[in-house]
Amino acid sequence: MADDRSAALLLRVWIEEGSDQFRARVMAVGPGAESERTVAVASTPDEVLEAVGHWLGEYLRRGTPTD
């Protein structure tokens, strides 16, 4: 759709084997030149929340999917 103003994030989380260290990758996914783009990598839940909040704030400010 030409006027589709939707966006999507994919959040992947895992525990590093052998260290029990938390890891996360936040990716913007969807149509466009890049079908998947890393928004942030994180090593704490707070960093994940901050990255998602920043991405959402940019999306709402622009009204379009963020680059």
Side-chain angles (χ1 to χ4, degrees):
M1 289 198 257
D3 63 347
D4 185 10
R5 293 180 59 190
S6 65
L9 282 183
L10 175 63
L11 175 61
R12 180 176 181 258
V13 296
W14 67 96
I15 303 296
E16 289 286 331
E17 190 173 331
S19 70
D20 293 333
Q21 180 65 43
F22 173 89
R23 296 282 187 240
R25 181 176 175 204
V26 182
M27 296 165 286
V29 295
E34 299 176 35
S35 62
E36 182 178 296
R37 179 183 58 83
T38 298
V39 172
V41 292
S43 59
T44 68
D46 286 340
E47 289 175 344
V48 172
L49 295 174
E50 182 179 335
V52 171
H54 177 76
W55 178 88
L56 184 57
E58 286 295 309
Y59 174 80
L60 293 174
R61 185 177 64 80
R62 294 180 186 181
T64 60
T66 60
D67 290 335

